[in-house]
Amino acid sequence: METNVEKVKITIDGKEVLVDPGISILEAARQNGIHIPTLCHHPALSSWGGCRICVVEVDGSPKLAASCVTPVRVGVVVVTSNERIIESRRTILEFLFAERNHNCMICAQSGDCELQKLAYELQVDHLTVPALFDEFPTDITSAYLAIDHNRCILCGRCVRACQEISGARVLNFNNRGPHNLIGLDLSETREASTCLNCGVCMQVCPTGAIYDRYRTHYAVKGHDTAWQTTESLCPQCGLMCPAIFSVHDNTVLKIDGKLEADDSRPDRGQLCYKGRFEVLKTIGKRLTRPMLRNGDGTLAEESWEKALDLTADRLRAATRAKKGAAIAGLASSMHSNEALVFFRDLMGRGLGAGCIDTLDGAHFRIVHRAWAGLDMPLKEASWKMIPEADHILIVGADPYQTQPIVSSLIRRTIFENRTKVSVIGQQADLFPFAAHHLPLKEGDASLLIKALLDEATDCGTDDVKMAQAAELVRKLCLSETDAAVFHDIARTVSEASNPLFITVAGLITAADDSGFNSLVHLSRLKGLLPGSTLRLIILKPFGNSSGAWKLGLASEAEPGSKGQATACVLFLAGEQVSDPDLLERLTGLDFLVVISPYIPESLADMADVLIPCPLWIEEDGTYTSLDGTETGYKKKVIEPPSGVRDSWQILSALAERTGFRPGFDTWNDVCKAAQKEMGG
Amino acid sequence: MGNKGRKTIIVCQGTGCVSSGATPTYKALEEGIRKAGLTDIQMKLTGCHGFCQRGPIVIIEPDGVFYSGVQEKNCEEIVESHLKNGQPVEGLFYKDPATGQPIATYGEIPFYANQERIVLARCGHINPEVIEDSIDSGIYRAAPRVFWEMPPAAVIEEIKKAGLRGRGGAGFPTGVKWGFCANVEADQKYIICNADEGDPGAFMDRSILEATPHQVLEGMIIAGYAIGATKGYIYARAEYPLAIKRLGIAIEQAREKGFLGRRVFGSEFDFDITIFQGAGAFVCGEETALIGSIEGGRGMPRTRPPFPAVKGLWGRPTVINNVKTLATVPEIINRGAEWFAGIGTEKSPGTAVFALTGKVANCGLIEVPMGTPLRKIIFDIGGGIVDGGRFKAVQTGGPSGGCLPEEFLDTPVDFENLAKAGSIMGSGGMVVMDESTCMVDLARYFLDFTQKESCGKCVPCRMGTKHMLEILEDICEGRGEPDDLSKLMELADAIKEGSLCGLGQTAPNPVITTMKYFRHEYEAHVHEKRCPALKCKAMLQYHVNQDACKLCGTCKKNCPADAIRGDKKKKIPFEIDVDKCIRCGMCHTVCPVGAVVKTSPGIVNDHEEAAEAAN
């Protein structure tokens, strides 16, 4: 931005520099390569000015100024380091070390601690003030993270992050003065509190006061200088949040959000409980070598060659025996576009499969049918539009369960922009903040949305329609309170000039799609967003659902409509299959091969061949955003277990053995093919 | 005030008088008048008269006869003798503590005669709950004049010319502050009245709000007009229920009269006021913390700039003025800037309101011109030290202020002089101390206060005050070390230099000034383990003066620690076992003949003695 903003001339440590007006002395110093230590300051958070470590001398004033909250002035003369300043910083640091029990030897954060680093930097090797600490509580009620108040320096970063980034507003200061304690809600334990476990507090905590319960001790993970970090993205839900992976010895130690990022993403670079914690969970035993079912019915490890040969033979045989419908290919929408493209081509063009579908095919079909009923081709709205909306209606969706960052963004927009949010359906995390809540009962969804459509679009103008709407509302048998809420929602929808609708395909059950249709219709009637975009955000169940659907992996026709398959290739990405309908479909097959990172426990009795593949974190690939408009590259972060081949290599080997020439000889070819289809 | 010839009985209903029984007194007088069938007598309740120590106060106008300490039981006599028969009750007159002479009217009482009341002029003379009373007394005369005759800039100019300085403590020129805010363009501005009076022993703002709430409202209306604010907040402590109640009534009445709300006084200007009750944090008197508190957050200060005048409540330009500042504004408009500038000193014009408390004969609320010497305040108005004691020090400015010794008694009180002496003007707390006050203990008390009231945001204030308090507690407990004094000063410097807001920056002041002027007391505590004021329990010793003892045995009977030997019947002299004694002072208190003597003999430090011997 080389605009006509007049720069300000200031002097830092005797050096005259030109800086932007309005920035802090700290920013000015950092822009000019001058180091000022900080503790309570965090670039992604509002300035606090509490710790006083960053004090500097301004125009020789007898009072030192905290550089993080002191704006530059024309001609200001700043000294960032002299004996007096260093002494003041040391005193502060001594106060902090004397305040609580900062015992580095037993701290899980040792080696990755800003307080510790600062003590080294300022060469504090003893305390001149007596230690005054009492014993403070430690809260380990959460499975994700722990709070040890004995290591807290009350910098308030967590409090600000909880409010400004995640919008949860759970953390705050309790008590006064030296009795200050970071508290959750009204001094609840973490589990009893309304904490949403996003862990942003933990990421910004400069000490070991909030630490990860997944991570191992310093003794194991070593000093942070020994770690490799990989910047990539989180493929868990389609928001493609930038993520920074810290790795040591091929083990992911932690995943951080990219909080330093500017405001280009409205979520401000946070991660959610899924992307930060849940992905580090193992959900079964890793499959490291192919397994075949023996004559005695048990699964035993076998060589890659044998497993691939057998698979190719059986698939070819099934095709021969029963043309077309013989083979079904079923893939997880957690796979990258590259893996999915290859899988689709192998199953379709290569093996002539009668059915290719994804695990979330039912969702796709509902959306697909609704889209077919539209008057023109339309796009879905992006979740990034949430802050701009003046009303948000959430129907059936529970963003906290599927796309937690969406729920964070909604919470923040309620506070920051005073946006009205109406919720139809269950949703605990937004409960205290939403303007409206209406229950969504099974069987009622369709009726309710239709009634809302009628009332909201003809509010007070069309008597006949109003009467129809009233009739529908009567049919719903809403309580008096709920009916009032319903009318208020309808009025709000009707009055909103820039509303957004957030929903899922299959409001209650996958089969019930009429409510969804009505909602699409309602959003259509509220006018389009620029670029032929419907005011509708559809939350999808898997990280790359949009990609998979766009690539045609999901079947438009109901599976099985072209006849029952006798062989199936199930391509999992790290999930365990628990859907009873799917399990039913998979029983009684002649041949089932499962390609999966884990041993698929629920299929252990059915599968004939198990082929190991890497987890998402162990291979490269592109993912497509929730609204299907963006594609992001997810880098490989760690190596797969020894002996596990990349997905594309597995598919390639099967293609070779089945005599199919997909046209991809190298990984680059696969990438290009996927890129071409995604239009990127 | 009051009809000519017709008697008006004024019964003070300020918090001080109410707590000493003014409510039953009022009822008893009312009942007495009714029973006596006196019809030409008007009853009137008012806010604080200021002379709180002598409450409940009853004044009979138009004569100005001043009765103090009027309890329910005295009322019959007042009705019978004074009201019915025109014979004032001499027994209830205020008696000059020096001469013992009864004084009949308040105009003659030195406590009032030596004051110059501008802000407090109406306190105790009008009924705060009746707006007509306020209007009759001249309130709401300035505001309409401002609307019709003065553009906002002229109002600001007038306040600047008057030289009015903020009465909250820092003394920033009010007109300049208004000017800053007026110059900022914004869709909304606010004026906030800071009534979060939190200094221990201070009650100036409370008394004004209780006695003349309309005067403050008028000041806010004028300030709002001057800066272009259409909304006002009064941030009052929830601990001031009477002030809040009367403010609520006043606001309601002002709305009914059209003085607040849409088009106030028939002008084009809209202005309304909301009361916000503070939850009782001392730090919320700091303006940025106060703003945070109104916004619904935790009251924690933030660094300025941006100043509230530019970016305040809800991010909008906001002026925050103290109650007294705002209460002064209408008088300046009414009587002109020159008149105001002529009172007080050149740099600190006007008057100063103090809550005079401590070991002074006449405690209460006073108002004097700036520049009045401390001696006049303490000895002429305050009537000197109570019980014939000796003056030791005066503390001004509350926990942020300092203690000044006898040598400063002739110092004229204004912003500059107090600052030069190491104390501050503050918002008006003035605590007088006699020889029985231990200055180390006093410093400990104030540090304990600031330490507890620190919001905890910045480290120097949160932990520095705690470290200072620990040292002071050690010294008072007889565990002081020789280098404690230098440590205290080092800590004081670090806190002053590094703290974020005024609370921390001034928190060491009580220690700094007592160390400066009463260093010998610190040294006695640290080196000799002796408390010269006989205050610090750990260093006290009690013994029985056998010459004075009448062998009554009361001390032994009352000793909770069974530390007194002796026998009344067997005539065995009473003696106190110092090892068993817990120094509760019970024996000292109960001895009918003053035979139990309190001393602080001190302990000579062996090491020091050895060191001295070696030298």
Side-chain angles (χ1 to χ4, degrees):
Chain A
M1 281 237 298
E2 290 298 319
T3 49
N4 45 6
V5 181
E6 195 129 332
K7 297 252 182 187
V8 175
K9 190 194 260 182
I10 64 167
T11 309
I12 308 183
D13 292 343
K15 202 168 101 185
E16 275 195 358
V17 291
L18 282 173
V19 296
D20 290 329
I23 64 168
S24 68
I25 290 177
L26 177 70
E27 279 173 283
R30 290 193 171 167
Q31 283 170 13
N32 286 284
I34 294 166
H35 170 72
I36 297 175
T38 54
L39 266 181
C40 73
H41 179 79
H42 191 288
L45 301 172
S46 64
S47 293
W48 185 240
C51 75
R52 320 305 282 181
I53 283 288
C54 70
V55 287
V56 292
E57 216 173 77
V58 176
D59 290 336
S61 159
K63 278 194 183 118
L64 297 174
S67 61
C68 66
V69 287
T70 309
V72 293
R73 267 184 291 111
V74 179
V76 74
V77 178
V78 178
V79 177
T80 69
S81 181
N82 61 26
E83 204 177 317
R84 174 175 165 231
I85 293 166
I86 299 220
E87 205 37 62
S88 176
R89 287 178 187 157
R90 275 201 194 124
T91 306
I92 298 297
L93 212 52
E94 286 189 36
F95 282 163
L96 288 176
F97 274 103
E99 184 176 14
R100 305 233 168 150
N101 191 353
H102 295 285
N103 193 337
C104 299
M105 299 312 289
I106 55 161
C107 179
Q109 203 74 11
S110 187
D112 183 20
C113 169
E114 292 181 36
L115 187 69
Q116 192 184 43
K117 277 184 195 138
L118 209 53
Y120 294 150
E121 183 186 324
L122 294 171
Q123 299 175 18
V124 174
D125 53 8
H126 70 286
L127 298 185
T128 59
V129 289
L132 292 178
F133 51 81
D134 298 324
E135 199 178 316
F136 290 93
T138 303
D139 182 347
I140 50 162
T141 55
S142 160
Y144 299 111
L145 45 84
I147 309 180
D148 184 349
H149 292 285
N150 296 294
R151 294 166 188 161
C152 175
I153 57 167
L154 296 168
C155 66
R157 278 192 193 177
C158 54
V159 175
R160 279 173 284 153
C162 192
Q163 174 173 335
E164 296 167 12
I165 295 183
S166 100
R169 296 175 179 239
V170 174
L171 293 173
N172 212 328
F173 293 96
N174 284 351
N175 312 331
R176 289 179 194 170
H179 302 289
N180 259 10
L181 216 54
I182 299 297
L184 293 99
D185 295 335
L186 294 168
S187 295
E188 256 82 22
T189 59
R190 187 168 273 264
E191 269 316 90
S193 75
T194 55
C195 171
L196 300 166
N197 292 313
C198 71
V200 71
C201 52
M202 185 184 88
Q203 183 176 339
V204 298
C205 180
T207 71
I210 305 180
Y211 61 97
D212 193 335
R213 299 200 68 196
Y214 282 70
R215 289 171 69 187
T216 44
H217 194 268
Y218 174 62
V220 178
K221 68 184 199 276
H223 201 279
D224 63 353
T225 48
W227 304 348
Q228 300 92 51
T229 53
T230 307
E231 232 179 275
S232 181
L233 59 82
C234 170
Q236 294 301 312
C237 74
L239 303 196
M240 305 199 302
C241 301
I244 301 163
F245 300 81
S246 297
V247 178
H248 187 46
D249 276 347
N250 207 38
T251 303
V252 178
L253 297 175
K254 61 169 177 172
I255 307 174
D256 284 326
K258 206 179 163 191
L259 292 181
E260 260 86 359
D262 52 14
D263 284 347
S264 56
R265 280 173 64 99
D267 60 347
R268 304 191 50 210
Q270 54 172 316
L271 287 182
C272 64
Y273 67 97
K274 290 186 170 187
R276 193 188 301 273
F277 299 113
E278 300 246 291
V279 292
L280 295 176
K281 271 187 188 165
T282 39
I283 55 158
K285 195 166 178 284
R286 271 310 280 271
L287 195 56
T288 51
R289 290 194 66 194
M291 294 177 102
L292 295 182
R293 192 163 300 279
N294 282 335
D296 59 2
T298 58
L299 284 165
E301 286 192 355
E302 196 44 86
S303 73
W304 277 92
E305 299 312 312
K306 265 200 173 164
L308 290 169
D309 286 346
L310 178 83
T311 306
D313 286 349
R314 296 288 300 267
L315 290 175
R316 267 204 315 257
T319 317
R320 273 197 302 272
K322 195 177 169 192
K323 276 201 180 317
I327 298 178
L330 199 53
S332 158
S333 302
M334 258 303 293
H335 281 296
S336 67
N337 290 328
E338 289 69 21
L340 290 170
V341 163
F342 209 144
F343 182 75
R344 182 199 64 195
D345 284 4
L346 172 68
M347 297 313 295
R349 290 200 286 130
L351 295 163
C355 172
I356 304 172
D357 200 7
T358 53
L359 296 179
D360 55 4
H363 285 251
F364 166 75
R365 286 182 280 280
I366 291 175
V367 176
H368 181 72
R369 283 197 294 271
W371 246 240
L374 285 169
D375 51 343
M376 59 191 282
L378 293 175
K379 288 187 216 139
E380 293 168 36
S382 163
W383 60 280
K384 292 179 185 174
M385 289 164 184
I386 288 172
E388 285 139 48
D390 64 350
H391 177 234
I392 296 170
L393 176 66
I394 306 170
V395 184
D398 190 348
Y400 180 67
Q401 299 301 330
T402 51
Q403 276 78 11
I405 297 295
V406 167
S407 90
S408 156
L409 215 53
I410 295 171
R411 277 194 308 275
R412 261 178 40 205
T413 194
I414 292 173
F415 285 113
E416 289 165 18
N417 308 328
R418 300 186 188 174
T419 308
K420 260 195 180 175
V421 172
S422 311
V423 175
I424 301 180
Q426 293 304 311
Q427 209 176 83
D429 67 306
L430 289 176
F431 176 72
F433 313 121
H436 306 114
H437 277 276
L438 206 57
L440 190 60
K441 282 177 280 199
E442 197 162 351
D444 279 356
S446 168
L447 206 57
L448 187 73
I449 307 304
K450 267 190 200 129
L452 188 67
L453 176 67
D454 284 354
E455 185 162 328
T457 51
D458 300 290
C459 224
T461 54
D462 188 328
D463 289 345
V464 180
K465 284 220 173 164
M466 287 300 286
Q468 279 174 2
E471 182 56 36
L472 286 175
V473 177
R474 251 195 306 283
K475 271 192 201 163
L476 285 166
C477 302
L478 295 175
S479 70
E480 207 172 305
T481 335
D482 284 349
V485 173
F486 173 83
H487 294 307
D488 205 30
I489 295 178
R491 213 189 52 243
T492 314
V493 170
S494 149
E495 286 167 2
S497 58
N498 192 14
L500 264 183
F501 301 87
I502 301 177
T503 192
V504 278
L507 299 184
I508 289 179
T509 57
D512 182 26
D513 69 345
S514 52
F516 183 82
N517 265 326
S518 306
L519 196 66
V520 171
H521 191 43
L522 175 59
S523 64
R524 178 72 185 88
L525 288 173
K526 287 304 287 184
L528 295 177
L529 290 163
S532 307
T533 305
L534 204 55
R535 301 181 171 276
L536 184 68
I537 298 171
I538 303 167
L539 302 184
K540 305 187 178 78
F542 288 90
N544 199 24
S545 289
S546 290
W549 297 2
K550 220 172 156 183
L551 291 169
L553 260 292
S555 166
E556 287 172 19
E558 289 297 330
S561 56
K562 286 188 198 163
Q564 198 57 50
T566 54
C568 178
V569 183
L570 181 58
F571 187 22
L572 296 176
E575 53 279 272
Q576 293 287 358
V577 177
S578 57
D579 176 11
D581 290 346
L582 179 61
L583 287 172
E584 165 116 28
R585 267 162 63 200
L586 296 174
T587 43
L589 289 167
D590 291 343
F591 180 65
L592 172 64
V593 53
V594 182
I595 309 172
S596 167
Y598 293 108
I599 293 179
E601 279 153 21
S602 58
L603 304 172
D605 294 336
M606 303 178 209
D608 298 290
V609 181
L610 298 181
I611 295 175
C613 71
L615 274 169
W616 60 274
I617 205 165
E618 294 159 355
E619 58 182 347
D620 294 284
T622 60
Y623 283 75
T624 298
S625 65
L626 185 65
D627 59 349
T629 57
E630 288 172 73
T631 299
Y633 194 79
K634 173 194 63 84
K635 277 188 223 161
K636 177 180 189 169
V637 175
I638 51 172
E639 292 297 327
S642 114
V644 176
R645 299 185 189 178
D646 278 355
S647 301
W648 80 276
Q649 286 172 326
I650 298 166
L651 298 171
S652 187
L654 281 175
E656 198 186 315
R657 282 169 173 75
T658 51
F660 170 56
R661 300 193 142 273
F664 326 123
D665 293 329
T666 63
W667 169 243
N668 265 350
D669 294 343
V670 191
C671 290
K672 270 183 209 149
Q675 201 180 3
K676 204 171 140 196
E677 291 202 38
M678 294 316 299
Chain B
M1 284 167 258
N3 296 345
K4 267 179 213 137
R6 194 177 163 198
K7 278 195 169 65
T8 303
I9 305 180
I10 292 171
V11 184
C12 175
Q13 298 282 311
T15 294
C17 283
V18 166
S19 58
S20 47
T23 312
T25 301
Y26 185 89
K27 282 203 184 112
L29 281 170
E30 204 174 30
E31 182 69 13
I33 291 166
R34 197 183 54 78
K35 273 190 187 155
L38 301 168
T39 49
D40 59 340
I41 289 173
Q42 191 193 350
M43 290 284 295
K44 181 164 165 179
L45 63 87
T46 68
C48 183
H49 281 263
F51 209 170
C52 307
Q53 191 165 16
R54 306 283 163 168
I57 286 166
V58 174
I59 296 173
I60 316 286
E61 294 283 14
D63 323 325
V65 173
F66 183 92
Y67 291 126
S68 63
V70 183
Q71 295 298 334
E72 201 178 351
K73 60 176 193 274
N74 307 119
C75 295
E76 207 186 316
E77 199 185 353
I78 294 178
V79 173
E80 274 300 311
S81 169
H82 191 158
L83 301 181
K84 228 171 162 179
N85 304 322
Q87 197 58 48
V89 186
E90 213 182 289
L92 292 170
F93 285 173
Y94 168 76
K95 285 172 200 67
D96 189 303
T99 60
Q101 281 299 310
I103 302 173
T105 63
Y106 67 82
E108 299 166 89
I109 298 171
F111 179 80
Y112 290 108
N114 284 306
Q115 292 191 42
E116 176 163 352
R117 291 187 157 203
I118 296 172
V119 176
L120 304 180
R122 297 177 183 87
C123 291
H125 299 291
I126 58 169
N127 185 335
E129 298 182 10
V130 179
I131 191 170
E132 286 75 14
D133 227 24
S134 294
I135 297 171
D136 287 348
S137 76
I139 299 175
Y140 294 123
R141 210 170 286 165
R145 239 198 78 203
V146 161
F147 288 125
W148 301 119
E149 295 169 19
M150 298 169 85
V155 179
I156 294 174
E157 204 41 52
E158 190 73 4
I159 300 298
K160 276 186 190 165
K161 236 167 47 191
L164 175 64
R165 295 175 65 173
R167 263 36 176 181
F172 190 81
T174 305
V176 177
K177 198 192 248 186
W178 290 11
F180 284 151
C181 187
N183 288 337
V184 183
E185 291 275 330
D187 57 344
Q188 175 73 56
K189 295 180 188 178
Y190 298 97
I191 169 88
I192 298 176
C193 170
N194 185 348
D196 191 47
E197 185 173 53
D199 289 2
F203 51 90
M204 305 75 61
D205 298 349
R206 181 179 71 192
S207 296
I208 293 166
L209 292 174
E210 288 174 3
T212 59
H214 286 287
Q215 196 172 334
V216 181
L217 299 190
E218 190 185 18
M220 288 181 75
I221 296 168
I222 295 169
Y225 171 75
I227 61 168
T230 56
K231 272 189 175 172
Y233 280 90
I234 299 176
Y235 190 93
R237 321 175 57 182
E239 295 96 322
Y240 283 180
L242 186 59
I244 288 164
K245 179 189 149 208
R246 289 193 179 150
L247 274 172
I249 293 170
I251 290 171
E252 210 39 63
Q253 289 171 342
R255 282 191 192 131
E256 278 166 22
K257 291 267 178 200
F259 300 169
L260 286 176
R262 308 274 297 157
R263 304 167 63 91
V264 295
F265 294 99
S267 71
E268 293 295 305
F269 181 66
D270 297 340
F271 187 75
D272 210 348
I273 295 174
T274 309
I275 303 172
F276 188 94
Q277 295 192 35
F282 179 66
V283 74
C284 284
E286 199 281 340
E287 55 182 16
T288 56
L290 185 152
I291 287 171
S293 173
I294 295 182
E295 287 173 352
R298 175 182 160 98
M300 277 176 139
R302 61 159 175 80
T303 313
R304 299 167 301 179
F307 287 92
V310 178
K311 216 174 163 192
L313 185 63
W314 314 113
R316 307 306 207 295
T318 305
V319 161
I320 301 174
N321 282 142
N322 176 263
V323 172
K324 298 179 288 294
T325 315
L326 290 165
T328 313
V329 166
E331 280 318 290
I332 294 176
I333 301 294
N334 280 332
R335 291 153 90 167
E338 286 80 15
W339 161 79
F340 187 80
I343 304 166
T345 61
E346 194 195 331
K347 282 188 176 164
S348 306
T351 55
V353 178
F354 288 107
L356 186 62
T357 56
K359 294 292 173 62
V360 72
N362 303 330
C363 287
L365 192 65
I366 63 153
E367 185 173 0
V368 291
M370 289 276 185
T372 306
L374 279 166
R375 191 184 296 281
K376 188 173 177 190
I377 296 172
I378 296 164
F379 288 91
D380 296 350
I381 299 173
I385 305 302
V386 75
D387 296 336
R390 207 177 124 74
F391 172 85
K392 184 173 188 178
V394 57
Q395 209 276 350
T396 62
S400 305
C403 294
L404 303 180
E406 208 172 351
E407 64 200 84
F408 288 96
L409 272 179
D410 293 310
T411 302
V413 172
D414 64 10
F415 289 103
E416 277 74 25
N417 280 312
L418 286 181
K420 226 189 304 173
S423 184
I424 62 162
M425 185 84 187
S427 71
M430 186 178 275
V431 187
V432 178
M433 287 159 278
D434 68 0
E435 296 272 292
S436 70
T437 306
C438 168
M439 302 314 277
V440 186
D441 182 59
L442 180 88
R444 184 201 56 77
Y445 167 79
F446 278 116
L447 249 296
D448 184 54
F449 180 85
T450 38
Q451 186 263 155
K452 281 183 180 141
E453 291 293 342
S454 161
C455 76
K457 178 172 174 174
C458 74
V459 183
C461 175
R462 182 178 78 227
M463 285 319 290
T465 55
K466 169 109 173 145
H467 282 286
M468 283 184 84
L469 178 64
E470 292 276 327
I471 294 175
L472 289 167
E473 278 175 349
D474 278 351
I475 294 176
C476 289
E477 292 287 328
R479 296 188 299 263
E481 302 277 343
D483 65 346
D484 276 352
L485 302 187
S486 58
K487 270 191 198 160
L488 274 177
M489 285 316 282
E490 277 169 27
L491 285 166
D493 284 344
I495 298 165
K496 270 177 97 90
E497 190 176 84
S499 290
L500 192 157
C501 82
L503 193 154
Q505 287 163 9
T506 59
N509 282 356
V511 179
I512 294 171
T513 50
T514 49
M515 288 261 276
K516 189 168 164 194
Y517 300 123
F518 302 94
R519 196 176 171 91
H520 53 279
E521 286 198 33
Y522 280 86
E523 283 168 348
H525 281 74
V526 171
H527 300 304
E528 301 163 39
K529 305 286 181 274
R530 184 170 66 79
C531 175
L534 304 181
K535 182 86 189 165
C536 296
K537 224 164 103 175
M539 296 175 210
L540 295 184
Q541 248 182 47
Y542 289 91
H543 68 264
V544 181
N545 178 356
Q546 301 300 345
D547 296 340
C549 180
K550 297 276 181 275
L551 290 171
C552 68
T554 313
C555 56
K556 188 180 178 185
K557 208 156 69 189
N558 283 283
C559 178
D562 206 11
I564 303 179
R565 286 186 299 261
D567 198 298
K568 192 174 159 182
K569 279 182 193 147
K570 293 177 190 162
K571 304 272 178 208
I572 301 171
F574 288 93
E575 274 175 12
I576 299 171
D577 181 342
V578 286
D579 294 329
K580 277 190 180 172
C581 176
I582 57 165
R583 301 173 187 89
C584 67
M586 184 57 90
C587 51
H588 182 71
T589 313
V590 297
C591 178
V593 294
V596 178
V597 186
K598 181 161 77 168
T599 60
S600 184
I603 305 156
V604 179
N605 189 317
D606 292 343
H607 298 289
E608 271 177 44
E609 212 174 37
E612 265 171 39
N615 287 335

